[in-house]
């Protein structure tokens, strides 16, 4: 199980520019879904990739489900050459995405991300619209099963904040 607080604070302390996505973003919006990992979409600038690499190395990130002896160096070069990484760390599983299906890259997510207070800090969380689009695009059973609840949360949000 991941220590969400430790993971988020480590990323924030390192100055990583990211948006929380995936099931944990749904939980932040009120979903009852259970998740065992943290998914983030990171800004793909060299400076941000360097900050992300520093924090991931500090929490001993390694490729999840890869052989222990697989030679892999997680640095800004690896982040620049790759796009999405599923990692195991000292604080739990973290998935870092350069691009989210159905939504795009960091600027696309950040555009309508919602600032939310979590663990005494403000983090950007993917909007319900972005979460719904990404779950539809992923099309996996677990993503499709999450849609009805996310859509209900979106309807509730829309009823509380009608657009003019």
């Amino acid at each position: 199980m991941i220590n969400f607080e430790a993971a988020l604070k480590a990323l924030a302390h390192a100055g990583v520019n990211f948006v929380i996505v995936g099931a944990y973003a749904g939980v932040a919006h009120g979903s009852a879904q259970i998740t065992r990992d943290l998914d983030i979409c990171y800004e793909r600038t060299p400076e941000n990739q360097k900050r992300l690499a520093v924090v991931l190395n500090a929490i001993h990130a390694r490729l999840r489900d890869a052989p222990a002896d697989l030679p892999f160096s997680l640095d800004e070069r690896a982040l620049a050459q790759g796009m999405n990484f599923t990692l195991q760390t000292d604080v739990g599983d973290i998935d870092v995405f350069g691009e989210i299906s159905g939504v795009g890259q960091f600027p696309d997510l950040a555009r309508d991300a919602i600032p939310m207070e979590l663990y005494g800090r403000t983090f950007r969380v993917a909007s319900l619209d972005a979460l719904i689009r990404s779950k539809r695009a992923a099309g996996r059973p677990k993503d499709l099963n999450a849609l009805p609840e996310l859509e209900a949360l979106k309807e509730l949000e829309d009823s509380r904040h009608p657009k003019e």
Side-chain angles (χ1 to χ4, degrees), residues 3 10 24 41-42 44 60-61 70 73 75 80 89 91 93 96 98 101-102 106 109-110 114 130 144-145 157 161-162:
N3 181 335
Y24 191 72
C41 182
Y42 62 98
R44 292 184 51 80
H60 304 107
L70 178 73
S73 176
D75 56 17
T89 76
V91 297
D93 292 346
V96 296
S101 297
F106 173 84
L109 276 158
I114 310 297
L144 297 175
N145 288 339
E157 178 185 277
H161 308 285

Side-chain angles (χ1 to χ4, degrees), residues 33-51:
Q33 195 174 358
I34 296 173
T35 183
R36 298 189 189 301
D37 67 358
L38 174 65
D39 300 332
I40 65 163
C41 182
Y42 62 98
E43 182 180 38
R44 292 184 51 80
T45 62
E47 301 80 20
N48 197 59
Q49 289 168 328
K50 185 173 185 171
R51 289 188 296 267

Side-chain angles (χ1 to χ4, degrees), residues 60-73 86-88:
H60 304 107
R62 55 221 169 268
L63 293 173
R64 190 171 40 221
D65 300 326
D69 60 349
L70 178 73
F72 178 72
S73 176
T86 57
L87 305 168
Q88 188 175 9

Side-chain angles (χ1 to χ4, degrees), residues 2 4 7-8 11 18-24 35-42 52 56 59 61-65 79 83-89 91-100 140 142:
I2 185 163
F4 291 104
L8 289 168
L11 291 163
F18 68 96
V19 174
I20 299 169
V21 296
Y24 191 72
T35 183
R36 298 189 189 301
D37 67 358
L38 174 65
D39 300 332
I40 65 163
C41 182
Y42 62 98
L52 179 58
L56 290 174
I59 57 175
R62 55 221 169 268
L63 293 173
R64 190 171 40 221
D65 300 326
L79 290 169
M83 186 62 74
N84 301 333
F85 299 86
T86 57
L87 305 168
Q88 188 175 9
T89 76
V91 297
D93 292 346
I94 301 175
D95 297 343
V96 296
F97 296 99
E99 187 167 7
I100 303 292
R140 299 173 300 183
K142 73 176 192 172

